[in-house]
Amino acid sequence: MNSLESEIEPETGTETETAAEPLLKATDLQKYFETETGLTERILGNQQYVKAVDGVDLSIDRQETVGVVGESGCGKTTLGRTLSKLYEPTGGTIEFDGEDITDLSSKELRELRSRIQVIFQDPLSSLNPRKTVGEILGKPLEIHDIATGEAKRERVAELLEEVGLQPSHASRYPHEFSGGQRQRIGIARAISIEPDLIIADEPVSALDVSVQAQIINMMKRLQRKYDLSYVFIAHDLSVVKHISDRVMVMYLGNIVEQGPKDAIFNNPQHPYTRALLSSIPTIDETPEKRRTALQGTPPSPIDPPSGCPFSTRCPEYIGPECSDEHPELETVADKPGSIDAPEDVPTILEEYESPESHHAACHWLERSGDERWSHEAPAIGERGE
Amino acid sequence: MSNPMLEIENLHVEFETEDESVQAVDGISFEIHPGEVYGIVGESGSGKSVTALSIMALLDSNANVTADRVRFDGTDLLSKTDSEMRSIRGGEISMIFQDPMNSLNPVITVGEQIAEVVRHHGDVNESTNLVQEMRRKYVTGTSADSASWRRAVELLETVGIPDPETRAQEYPHQLSGGMRQRVMIAQALAGDPSLILADEPTTALDVSIEAQILNQLLDLRDEFGVSVLLITHDLGVVRETCDRVAVMYAGELMEKAAVEELFEDPQHPYTRGLMQSIPRLTDDREMLDVIEGSVPNLAAKPPGCPFQDRCAWAFEACTQPLEEHEVDPGHDVACHLHREDIPEELGEWNSPTAVRTDGGDDR
Ligand SMILES: Nc1ncnc2c1ncn2[C@@H]1O[C@H](COP(=O)(O)OP(=O)(O)OP(=O)(O)O)[C@@H](O)[C@H]1O
Ligand code: SF4
Ligand code: SF4
Ligand SMILES: [Mg+2]
């Protein structure tokens, strides 16, 4: 195994590295799944696809945390799995540290695994129940040639302490731990081989409030210590805001808005982001009633709307252009149609100037903010196809 | 004040396992008034669901339930026989669960599942004889054109399901998660209940669907005057939905208050810790304030306050049995800091800025 690995020159790429070069860059990334289709349909060429990720551009800088939010089924998990090459992309390219990793061989993939790690929502299902924690944490150290024997045992003990567990826990099995402790083990395993990037898919969603806070603080501390970049996938906007530098909002396989977190939370421009922010339950204030700016449920990703993906639910729908033309991500600051945050969204900055890196995909950007404030969208049933 | 719809006094639930006995609920008391949404909020394992299941007499046989009082609308539930409880369940008291797939029957249309409850608990004068029931469920699939079916369609409409006639004839797997949750609410309403026990009814749903469903629940309360016990782990849901709330920890109620008061003026170190540990949209903290440690083992709780190992203010008295202190009318706190004779240096605990965490580290 080791001889195989040594054939691959580890491409450090550090000499060429500049501040501007992202650690990971995806261009027009697509991941489609085939739906179950009968044989005749397939022969007739009627195979249908779930467009789980449908043309996403993204970049992640070194030591940066990029949050990905959206409703269930919007493609967050699929995006994370495609970025980490757990899924083969259907289209587009992925570059990691300046190198194209879209079509890596399985040998090269192993090298990549030591640099990109994944943390899952349910740590139990990703930890082998028949292995002790010591074995679970020790294995990657051996595979990636980091430590064996006594050195390995020492490193495992260090890792356990690093995530707030005890060295003596090494001899226990995963089921003997609480959910929060298991997530600590999952994190210890992810950092054990000192990766550059960790893709965390809903890492705290299954945990209790007080345990969530412990894990979030720990992830922040480890990020500084190990110079990590995170892709943090979650549906909880407050958590994403707390941990992220930059945020991407996903809807039906598309990024509909992205930018520094202050832009997304203080100056949201896409109607979906705005509605999502309005519907979060909050302990900050007491509205009469929960706001329900978002009606209905997302359409099927097998047959998404032809124009704007959000057009079937959008509370700010303009007209036929929304149903016919797919809006592209544009720089908000260059456009006439940007407006203030909705009144019911609790923000902390009174005024906010949108930076170049704040993008949204909505036809309103081309129009005027004044017009947008006074606009009344046609009822959902009265929108053209 | 009107008589309570539900009165619970000193409820204990103990589970006997092979080698230990677990105190899942440990002496809790609360009451719910007519038309009130009462919240129980707590972390997983704190005993929220067991509380609801014990009221419904739905616990496994290894559960030992005792209480000084469990009264529903003035009648004692503890002395009811199994068959009496069966007719109360789904009728006067109904329950909504977190995962509708576990409580809806996958091979019966959703309309028929609601219609069945209508026939058993409502007054539509339709036979509920076994042969008839089997025929409706498994052969015709619907009992369309009967009063119970029409009522089912009406209920689906009430809970906001579009095109209810068509949806009523579908099976649970054909509906989205949010729609299944609505079907459960419709089913819970079918027996014309005075009390609904809702156990994490929206936890599995996205915020946008959650908002729609909680609003629906509030509308139903306004319209029909039902009382609701809403169990959740989400403080935001409590603040936006409940009238009064109890904070549960390790089988005990730590603090009970009107919702406004609890959030404006929490008086228990655990409640405060919880509120400080959640990230908010309006905060700019670099690190969250963490409650150290984890919940105690319910088979070996320390004597006295169950929070003592994690409490930054714990002092000698905390190993003594807890009592409730009424700090304001209707605001009860089970914590020794509210005794008259606390040590002087602890006096500062109640200043609004007093935070005793090491603010950042996670261990
Ligand atoms: N292996 C698969 N085969 C077919 N369809 C799939 C597969 N994995 C995901 N999908 C579909 O792709 C879409 C996006 O799924 P994904 O799991 O990425 O959503 P998500 O945002 O992570 O949702 P959640 O928050 O519920 O986990 C969904 O419609 C889902 O049903
Ligand atoms: S493009 Fe039209 S439908 Fe899409 S988000 Fe903007 S206003 Fe709404
Ligand atoms: S009783 Fe003691 S340990 Fe319990 S919450 Fe109050 S101060 Fe803390
Ligand atoms: Mg997911």
Side-chain angles (χ1 to χ4, degrees):
Chain A
M1 185 183 288
N2 289 342
S3 60
L4 273 179
E5 273 203 22
S6 55
E7 285 173 27
I8 311 157
E9 267 311 327
E11 282 252 299
T12 48
T14 31
E15 303 95 301
T16 53
E17 192 179 295
T18 62
E21 188 191 334
L23 177 64
L24 183 125
K25 185 162 184 278
T27 312
D28 198 19
L29 195 64
Q30 292 173 327
K31 178 64 193 173
Y32 294 180
F33 297 102
E34 292 189 358
T35 58
E36 284 173 40
T37 322
L39 186 62
T40 31
E41 290 288 292
R42 248 179 289 156
I43 291 168
L44 293 172
N46 290 346
Q47 176 63 53
Q48 287 190 311
Y49 296 94
V50 176
K51 297 172 180 163
V53 173
D54 200 9
V56 163
D57 292 331
L58 112 181
S59 73
I60 299 146
D61 287 335
R62 282 155 222 276
Q63 284 134 61
E64 184 185 40
T65 301
V66 175
V68 180
V69 295
E71 288 171 283
S72 122
C74 72
K76 310 182 290 292
T77 297
T78 308
L79 177 64
R81 291 180 165 235
T82 311
L83 288 176
S84 56
K85 294 279 292 176
L86 288 173
Y87 286 159
E88 277 305 310
T90 310
T93 56
I94 311 173
E95 278 172 45
F96 182 74
D97 205 2
E99 191 189 346
D100 189 331
I101 61 164
T102 322
D103 305 300
L104 286 192
S105 69
S106 58
K107 269 194 302 185
E108 293 162 319
L109 217 51
R110 183 149 6 95
E111 168 67 23
L112 184 71
R113 286 275 170 273
S114 70
R115 305 192 59 193
I116 306 181
Q117 282 285 301
V118 185
I119 302 174
F120 300 94
Q121 170 168 4
D122 174 11
L124 193 56
S125 66
S126 64
L127 301 173
N128 187 335
R130 284 179 301 276
K131 293 272 196 302
T132 64
V133 166
E135 289 165 335
I136 289 169
L137 295 180
K139 188 81 181 288
L141 297 178
E142 276 181 15
I143 293 182
H144 293 284
D145 255 346
I146 294 170
T148 54
E150 189 49 37
K152 185 182 77 176
R153 267 185 296 281
E154 275 173 25
R155 181 72 188 129
V156 167
E158 266 171 37
L159 282 167
L160 285 169
E161 290 194 320
E162 190 73 284
V163 297
L165 298 171
Q166 261 120 51
S168 64
H169 286 145
S171 57
R172 297 211 208 153
Y173 291 89
H175 72 265
E176 298 176 65
F177 293 90
S178 70
Q181 286 175 322
R182 281 183 214 132
Q183 199 53 287
R184 290 172 191 267
I185 296 166
I187 293 171
R189 181 177 56 182
I191 61 170
S192 67
I193 48 181
E194 309 209 356
D196 301 304
L197 173 66
I198 292 182
I199 296 180
D201 188 3
E202 304 268 10
V204 298
S205 309
L207 306 176
D208 276 319
V209 176
S210 72
V211 184
Q212 268 192 8
Q214 295 173 349
I215 300 288
I216 291 169
N217 278 5
M218 185 176 85
M219 287 184 69
K220 282 198 148 190
R221 179 170 55 75
L222 293 172
Q223 176 167 42
R224 283 194 214 117
K225 178 156 178 188
Y226 291 92
D227 293 336
L228 295 166
S229 302
Y230 289 135
V231 173
F232 193 97
I233 298 170
H235 66 278
D236 184 329
L237 287 143
S238 313
V239 168
V240 165
K241 173 170 183 214
H242 179 78
I243 200 161
S244 306
D245 302 307
R246 232 151 29 87
V247 174
M248 317 189 41
V249 183
M250 254 186 117
Y251 188 80
L252 216 60
N254 290 259
I255 304 292
V256 296
E257 183 159 8
Q258 63 181 13
K261 76 168 161 196
D262 284 341
I264 302 297
F265 288 92
N266 291 292
N267 190 31
Q269 292 304 319
H270 196 279
Y272 178 64
T273 316
R274 298 167 75 85
L276 206 55
L277 283 170
S278 302
S279 54
I280 315 178
T282 161
I283 69 166
D284 285 323
E285 39 159 348
T286 54
E288 279 281 284
K289 202 173 184 185
R290 252 315 249 296
R291 303 155 292 252
T292 45
L294 266 176
Q295 295 297 326
T297 48
S300 158
I302 295 175
D303 186 19
S306 45
C308 172
F310 192 45
S311 57
T312 55
R313 292 170 84 200
C314 180
E316 299 184 52
Y317 182 92
I318 306 169
E321 66 199 278
C322 294
S323 304
D324 300 339
E325 280 168 53
H326 187 107
E328 299 300 326
L329 283 169
E330 307 275 2
T331 302
V332 169
D334 300 343
K335 300 287 169 187
S338 105
I339 55 176
D340 292 344
E343 268 167 30
D344 55 5
V345 172
T347 56
I348 38 177
L349 300 179
E350 287 285 308
E351 297 209 349
Y352 186 80
E353 196 139 327
S354 183
E356 279 293 306
S357 53
H358 179 197
H359 303 156
C362 169
H363 294 312
W364 271 120
L365 290 184
E366 300 294 348
R367 300 186 163 228
S368 87
D370 289 344
E371 186 192 349
R372 188 171 175 186
W373 275 121
S374 55
H375 176 72
E376 284 202 32
I380 289 183
E382 289 155 22
R383 296 176 184 179
E385 224 321 83
Chain B
M1 188 176 282
S2 53
N3 287 327
M5 187 54 69
L6 182 73
E7 283 175 272
I8 306 285
E9 212 175 291
N10 200 21
L11 175 71
H12 286 262
V13 181
E14 195 178 3
F15 290 100
E16 296 291 345
T17 66
E18 256 164 49
D19 35 35
E20 52 190 20
S21 87
V22 174
Q23 288 287 340
V25 175
D26 198 2
I28 68 170
S29 305
F30 63 96
E31 80 271 356
I32 304 178
H33 298 290
E36 180 174 56
V37 180
Y38 193 89
I40 294 188
V41 63
E43 301 185 66
S44 74
S46 60
K48 307 181 295 291
S49 298
V50 172
T51 301
L53 292 170
S54 68
I55 297 167
M56 296 291 262
L58 279 174
L59 288 168
D60 291 342
S61 59
N62 68 335
N64 181 18
V65 181
T66 57
D68 294 348
R69 177 181 282 201
V70 176
R71 282 162 81 93
F72 165 68
D73 204 7
T75 66
D76 179 20
L77 290 186
L78 286 173
S79 61
K80 297 273 184 219
T81 63
D82 284 355
S83 87
E84 285 171 327
M85 274 314 293
R86 219 171 299 131
S87 88
I88 290 177
R89 281 197 297 264
E92 291 159 275
I93 309 181
S94 57
M95 194 155 173
I96 303 171
F97 299 90
Q98 173 172 352
D99 181 5
M101 270 326 236
N102 289 335
S103 42
L104 292 175
N105 189 326
V107 299
I108 303 177
T109 61
V110 295
E112 180 47 38
Q113 294 189 56
I114 299 168
E116 181 189 8
V117 181
V118 174
R119 286 192 297 275
H120 281 272
H121 297 282
D123 49 356
V124 287
N125 268 325
E126 285 171 36
S127 161
T128 53
N129 127 346
L130 192 63
V131 180
Q132 296 262 17
E133 288 283 303
M134 299 305 272
R135 218 179 86 74
R136 281 195 195 100
K137 287 201 187 76
Y138 301 104
V139 186
T140 55
T142 76
S143 41
D145 237 27
S146 65
S148 60
W149 180 264
R150 282 194 298 275
R151 176 83 185 119
V153 171
E154 218 173 272
L155 284 164
L156 287 173
E157 183 158 28
T158 308
V159 298
I161 293 204
D163 194 10
E165 286 89 0
T166 314
R167 291 299 183 178
Q169 297 175 41
E170 295 187 343
Y171 295 88
H173 73 265
Q174 293 173 282
L175 306 178
S176 70
M179 268 199 246
R180 285 199 288 263
Q181 206 59 331
R182 284 167 205 250
V183 169
M184 283 252 287
I185 297 179
Q187 195 183 28
L189 289 172
D192 226 343
S194 333
L195 174 66
I196 298 179
L197 311 181
D199 189 357
E200 306 266 11
T202 56
T203 303
L205 306 174
D206 282 315
V207 279
S208 63
I209 315 292
E210 174 178 80
Q212 295 170 19
I213 295 216
L214 292 178
N215 276 346
Q216 192 82 61
L217 212 57
L218 291 180
D219 286 347
L220 294 170
R221 184 270 304 269
D222 296 344
E223 194 172 335
F224 303 107
V226 267
S227 311
V228 180
L229 175 65
L230 182 71
I231 291 175
T232 176
H233 68 278
D234 188 332
L235 287 166
V237 166
V238 167
R239 177 142 209 186
E240 300 206 334
T241 316
C242 299
D243 301 311
R244 288 191 303 138
V245 56
V247 179
M248 196 160 190
Y249 183 79
E252 301 179 40
L253 297 186
M254 305 274 86
E255 183 161 10
K256 294 181 276 194
V259 162
E260 284 312 295
E261 177 143 345
L262 188 90
F263 286 95
E264 299 302 331
D265 187 24
Q267 288 290 322
H268 195 286
Y270 175 64
T271 315
R272 289 191 186 175
L274 267 189
M275 289 183 188
Q276 279 155 358
S277 68
I278 49 179
R280 305 182 188 201
L281 286 181
T282 48
D283 83 31
D284 236 355
R285 284 176 294 177
E286 174 58 25
M287 287 290 180
L288 299 168
D289 301 295
V290 158
I291 306 176
E292 314 292 335
S294 52
V295 292
N297 177 354
L298 294 181
K301 282 209 294 187
C305 175
F307 189 53
Q308 58 186 274
D309 291 343
R310 307 174 75 187
C311 179
W313 303 95
F315 61 113
E316 306 83 66
C318 299
T319 54
Q320 294 167 21
L322 284 176
E323 313 155 14
E324 280 188 359
H325 301 267
E326 186 170 59
V327 297
D328 258 321
H331 188 172
D332 299 314
V333 185
C335 166
H336 289 300
L337 286 169
H338 291 275
R339 287 161 45 145
E340 299 286 306
D341 59 342
I342 63 167
E344 204 175 326
E345 72 274 15
L346 288 180
E348 56 154 319
W349 92 276
N350 210 7
S351 86
T353 51
V355 181
R356 270 204 191 176
T357 65
D358 46 12
D361 203 276
D362 52 283
R363 298 172 216 177

